[in-house]
Each structure stands twice: as C-alpha cells, then as structure tokens.
Amino acid sequence: MFHLSDRREREQCPQDNQPLTENDIYPDNYTRREILQLRVHCPNSKSGCPTLVELANVDRHLTECEYQIVPCPNRCSMRTMKREIADHCQSSCLRRLVNCSLCNEQFQLNQQKSHLTTCPLVALTCESCQTVTPRQEMQHHLAEECPRTVVPCTFHEVGCKERMVRADLPIHLQENTQNHMKLLVASYKNVSGFMSDLGRAVGALTSPLASPSLNRQGSSTSCASEMQRQWSCSSMQEGACATAAPHHRSVSVPSVPVEGARGTSELEQRLQMDFSKWDLGKKSASPEKVIKDICEKHVRLEQRSREHAIQIQNQRTQIKELKEALRRATQAPHEMLGRYCNGTFVWRFHNFAAEIREMTDNNAKVVHSPSFYTSPFGYKLCLRANLYVRDGECYLALFIHMRRGENDDILEWPFSGRFIVSLIDQSDNSLRHNFTEVMLTKPGLEAFERPRDDRNIKGWGFQQFMQLSRVRSHYLRRDTVIIKCVVQVGNGYREEAIPAGR
C-alpha cells in the first residue's frame, strides 16, 4: 500500500517498479477486515478492564464494559464506572431514595429538608401552651385540647356570647349557670312555638276540605312565611327580625336537640312531599338516584378495567417467558446438531438480502455460521461469509475458521484435512446443479494452528467463491442460501490440490 501522492510523483509501483494507472488501484478491503479482526485491549484498560476484544467490536464492548464511565441513573452530577454504579446509587448518590425514619415515606436524599417541613410525624411545639405534638395532631390539639386557645362558651348556640381561653371555661360555666338556664328556657319556648305553627300548617295542607285552587297556594305560602318570620325573630338572635322571602315552596326546619325532633323531621318530609306534588305533578326518578346509579356503574367498569389490565400484564409476562424458553429450546438443537454432525454441516443462511445490504454499506461486516464439530470429540469449526468486490463485480466470499473447542488438548495440531464446500441448488427441478469447491489444508498456515482465542483471526477459503448475481438467480430461495460443508480429517496436502484463496 502507498499514498496516491507517491503514484503521481513516480507513476510506478514501489515494489516492482511496474507502471501504474488509476484502474490498478483499489481499496484493500481484505486488509481492512483483517485489521478490524485484530484483538486489542479495551479502552478502559487503564481503569482495570482486562478484556481483549476485536477492533470491530470495541464499540459494542464499551456498551457492556463494567469499567466504562457512565453517568448516575438518578441524574446526579457524579460519573463513575458501571461496576460501581450500584454501590453509588445505594450509598453515596444525593438523589437516591431513602425512607423517612418517622413516617416511612420515600423521598430523594437531597429533598430531606423539604420533607421535614411537611412530615406529619415531626414534633411541633404549640405556640400557646408549649406542648410538643406531632404535626398531624396539631390541629386537633388546638381545636380540642390546648388550654390557652380562645374558645366560645359551650352555650354559644343558645345565645351566650362570652369567649375565653379553654382553661377558664369550667370557671365560666360554674359562675354563669343561671344565665345559661335562662337562655335554654327561651330557646325551648321558641322551638315549641315553631312546632305548633308547623303542626297547624301541615294540618291545613293535608285537610280534605282544603281547596286545590290558588287559595291553597296563598295559604301555604303565608303559613311558611309566618313560620320563617317567627323563627328568625327568636330571642337568641341580635337585631331586628329578618324579613322572610316571599313565595317559598319548601320549609327549611333547623335541627334542634329537644324532644319532638324526630316528629319535626317527619313533618318536614311530609310538607316537602306535598309541595313537590303541587309543583311537579307526577313525580319522576330523582337526580340523586340517577347519580348514584352512574357512580356504581363507573366503579364496576373501573374495577373490570383494572382486572383486565392485570390479566394483560400477566399474559405479557408469560409470553416473555415463553419466548425465552423457545429461544433456548431452538438454540439447543442447533448446538446438538453441530456437535453430532460428524463433519457434515448444513448452514442455512437466512435473511440473505438484509445481510448483503449491510455488507454493502459496511465493508467490515462478516457473518459467521453456528459452530460444528468433525466428531463429538473432534475439531470445532465455523464458516464465514462476507462480500468481496473486484473490478466492480460483487462476489460471495466463503472461509473456514478453526474455533477453540473443549477437546483441543487431545487433538493433533496443526489441523490437516480436506474441505468440500457446496452451494445447494434449491430449485424444484429434478436435476439440481450444486456448486462445489474443494480445499485442502496447507502446512505453515496460521489458519489451521490451534486457536488461542475463541476463533482464529485468519481463515482459509475463497474470496471469489461465486458472483453475487449468480447466487441470487440460481441459489437463493425464500431469502435463504444453503451452504453445505463436509470436513474430512487426515487427508494431507497434495500438489494437485486446488489452491484456495485467503
């Protein structure tokens, strides 16, 4: 190899001084592939990675290398080796999840101060009485227990307007017992009067002599207005009597804890029922019932949706497990077939079109077959296919590679034998024309030495096994090419053997 500038200066080959033209110079893809198959140290070797990897696979190795520097998955500012990322996330990451020692709630470590400002179990000190109370109980403490909180009198609903701290409330109740009793009596009288007026109004509405004409509307409206006026003019309220709004269609009865309250509720229901019949005529389904039915149906649908989601998730998990089991099950027969094929191996090269496209885009792309053995305890080999371009013509290249096996220590090296490689004609014709080439091993070749790595870098075979166009037209079917290789161990090198390319 030499630079184009050298050719322009000398116009002849630097090796044999033969004249050169532009047509005599082409990229050496074979050398490129050989270089990319060289094993080099991982770029992270200074960090401790001991792996030796093919140059073409360095990028893929870096995605799996335990010594690769990666950012923290919690998005903190730290970057560390992949092998240490788990320990970092558990012990030193500022964004790792921790549990509150009080409420057991999870939060990021850098948000601990923020959590303590809202944690319901953090102890707070009451500003009034200096009592230490958890945050979630502070409101109850202030409303029901704190002796320094200002509260109204127990009888404020019947007219007592005094307010004092809770600690002074018992003294106030003891000193004002007579006043509180007077307020209760006045409140009872007002309630009794209201009950009497309400009874008369109900009697007037339910009387069979009552006219269903406009007089009934006037009398019921006046009765309801009068009752509201009397209730709002009780002695418990301050100021003048509030004016009742005209034309009320229902009577609102306050809840008062005295005798007859149950009867009051029944009278109110009857009164509202009569007014509803008077206003609406024929009664239809209530909106409350419709809303209740809708809510119940929504709950049922949501429950079914969750059940279906759980079933789908379970089925996805089962499908994933079945796919993994199927992958292992399909991989095992291939390994068994390769081990017990006794040197006769059939490689079904699937997805041929896609692989060729990828080889066209990337000259370093090669495809290796599954491994096979010359015998159950014999040599381990594999086939390699790649694309070779010469003078604008594309060829399918095939090579044999020795692989490291379990029984290499009991075998004779270098390997010596004969390879019969055939491209199988898949046509439906009764007369099929398979294409066959024979290769014999040669002494002194690195390709047949005992493998020190998983696979020998150098292989032995044909760069121009067959034109790619011919492969497509005669030997490709259902996007699959079938290659058969027969290995015969012990047939040594002969002078008349067909020379094989490298």
Side-chain angles (χ1 to χ4, degrees):
M1 292 190 298
F2 65 97
H3 200 271
L4 286 177
S5 61
D6 298 335
R7 188 198 65 76
R8 293 191 184 98
E9 294 175 359
R10 295 182 295 182
E11 299 290 341
Q12 53 184 298
C13 176
Q15 299 292 333
D16 55 11
N17 295 324
Q18 293 296 320
L20 291 177
T21 64
E22 291 286 350
N23 296 330
D24 294 325
I25 300 173
Y26 60 91
D28 192 348
N29 292 326
Y30 172 77
T31 303
R32 173 183 171 84
R33 283 193 296 271
E34 293 296 324
I35 292 174
L36 290 177
Q37 290 182 2
L38 294 176
R39 300 180 71 83
V40 297
H41 287 283
C42 172
N44 297 318
S45 59
K46 292 183 179 180
S47 300
C49 182
T51 305
L52 291 175
V53 63
E54 290 183 2
L55 188 60
N57 297 327
V58 168
D59 291 338
R60 183 173 63 184
H61 167 71
L62 288 179
T63 62
E64 304 171 353
C65 181
E66 293 294 327
Y67 294 85
Q68 178 71 0
I69 301 298
V70 296
C72 174
N74 295 331
R75 298 182 180 179
C76 74
S77 58
M78 292 296 295
R79 294 173 62 86
T80 183
M81 289 189 292
K82 187 181 294 185
R83 62 182 298 182
E84 299 175 354
I85 200 68
D87 181 67
H88 165 74
C89 291
Q90 292 179 1
S91 60
S92 59
C93 179
L94 293 179
R95 290 195 173 186
R96 69 182 185 272
L97 292 178
V98 296
N99 291 335
C100 176
S101 59
L102 299 175
C103 66
N104 205 33
E105 180 181 347
Q106 276 195 339
F107 55 87
Q108 291 183 347
L109 182 63
N110 59 354
Q111 297 178 353
Q112 185 173 11
K113 292 183 179 179
S114 175
H115 171 73
L116 292 177
T117 61
T118 59
C119 179
L121 297 183
V122 169
L124 300 179
T125 302
C126 177
E127 296 180 356
S128 300
C129 64
Q130 304 303 313
T131 301
V132 178
T133 307
R135 177 179 280 113
Q136 65 181 2
E137 299 178 5
M138 181 58 69
Q139 292 297 328
H140 175 75
H141 168 75
L142 294 174
E144 303 293 339
E145 300 174 355
C146 181
R148 305 302 303 169
T149 300
V150 177
V151 296
C153 174
T154 308
F155 294 89
H156 71 280
E157 293 185 355
V158 294
C160 184
K161 303 173 185 178
E162 295 292 333
R163 296 178 64 85
M164 72 291 297
V165 294
R166 182 175 281 109
D168 296 337
L169 182 59
I171 300 175
H172 168 75
L173 294 177
Q174 186 177 2
E175 294 177 350
N176 295 273
T177 302
Q178 293 184 359
N179 293 333
H180 292 160
M181 293 300 296
K182 291 179 180 179
L183 293 173
L184 286 174
V185 170
S187 177
Y188 176 76
K189 289 181 179 180
N190 283 287
V191 172
S192 298
F194 172 77
M195 294 293 295
S196 299
D197 294 338
L198 184 61
R200 287 194 296 270
V202 172
L205 291 173
T206 58
S207 174
L209 299 178
S211 174
S213 63
L214 294 176
N215 294 331
R216 179 176 180 179
Q217 180 181 0
S219 62
S220 61
T221 303
S222 62
C223 289
S225 300
E226 179 64 20
M227 284 185 291
Q228 289 182 353
R229 186 188 65 79
Q230 290 183 3
W231 176 258
S232 59
C233 293
S234 64
S235 60
M236 294 184 295
Q237 306 295 331
E238 290 183 336
C241 174
T243 304
H247 305 295
H248 285 277
R249 295 190 178 181
S250 64
V251 176
S252 179
V253 182
S255 299
V256 182
V258 294
E259 277 190 347
R262 182 175 179 180
T264 302
S265 177
E266 294 176 354
L267 289 173
E268 180 187 6
Q269 292 177 1
R270 290 178 58 187
L271 185 59
Q272 290 179 348
M273 186 183 299
D274 289 338
F275 283 158
S276 299
K277 290 180 180 179
W278 169 59
D279 285 336
L280 302 177
K282 195 170 184 179
K283 188 176 180 182
S284 59
S286 65
E288 291 81 1
K289 184 177 180 181
V290 174
I291 294 174
K292 182 179 179 181
D293 293 341
I294 292 174
C295 291
E296 291 176 353
K297 291 180 180 179
H298 174 74
V299 170
R300 289 195 296 270
L301 290 175
E302 186 176 1
Q303 184 176 2
R304 291 180 183 177
S305 175
R306 290 181 179 178
E307 292 175 355
H308 291 164
I310 294 174
Q311 292 176 358
I312 292 173
Q313 184 62 32
N314 293 337
Q315 290 175 356
R316 286 177 178 173
T317 303
Q318 293 176 0
I319 290 174
K320 185 177 180 181
E321 294 175 353
L322 289 174
K323 285 183 177 179
E324 179 63 21
L326 180 61
R327 185 190 65 80
R328 291 195 299 266
T330 53
Q331 188 176 8
H334 286 298
E335 295 178 355
M336 297 294 290
L337 290 174
R339 179 176 290 276
Y340 297 98
C341 67
N342 291 324
T344 302
F345 177 69
V346 177
W347 179 22
R348 297 182 181 273
F349 191 166
H350 298 293
N351 300 323
F352 186 78
E355 296 290 354
I356 291 298
R357 282 196 300 270
E358 191 170 350
M359 291 179 188
T360 303
D361 297 336
N362 182 11
N363 293 330
K365 168 69 176 180
V366 297
V367 179
H368 293 92
S369 74
S371 301
F372 63 97
Y373 291 76
T374 57
S375 64
F377 300 98
Y379 297 92
K380 185 178 181 181
L381 309 94
C382 72
L383 297 174
R384 186 194 86 195
N386 59 272
L387 201 61
Y388 178 75
V389 182
R390 177 70 172 175
D391 297 332
E393 185 71 33
C394 293
Y395 295 87
L396 177 65
L398 280 179
F399 294 86
I400 298 285
H401 282 265
M402 304 301 297
R403 299 200 63 175
R404 184 168 58 190
E406 300 87 346
N407 305 298
D408 290 352
D409 53 348
I410 63 174
L411 300 175
E412 295 182 359
W413 298 97
F415 173 81
S416 176
R418 183 184 185 190
F419 304 98
I420 304 174
V421 183
S422 302
L423 204 57
I424 305 300
D425 183 1
Q426 302 181 63
S427 63
D428 296 330
N429 299 331
S430 57
L431 296 178
R432 297 184 178 181
H433 301 283
N434 299 334
F435 179 80
T436 302
E437 291 283 4
V438 179
M439 297 183 293
L440 298 178
T441 59
K442 293 178 63 175
L445 291 180
E446 208 177 312
F448 301 110
E449 296 293 336
R450 179 177 177 178
R452 300 303 175 188
D453 297 319
D454 180 65
R455 180 180 63 248
N456 276 348
I457 296 176
K458 292 187 177 295
W460 184 248
F462 297 90
Q463 283 187 333
Q464 303 177 26
F465 186 77
M466 180 178 287
Q467 292 180 341
L468 185 60
S469 58
R470 185 181 174 190
V471 175
R472 288 171 171 166
S473 60
H474 294 83
Y475 299 94
L476 178 64
R477 189 167 186 179
R478 291 186 291 274
D479 201 22
T480 300
V481 171
I482 300 177
I483 302 170
K484 180 179 179 180
C485 180
V486 179
V487 183
Q488 299 174 350
V489 181
N491 294 329
Y493 169 74
R494 299 194 303 269
E495 293 294 336
E496 66 272 14
I498 299 175
R502 296 187 63 190

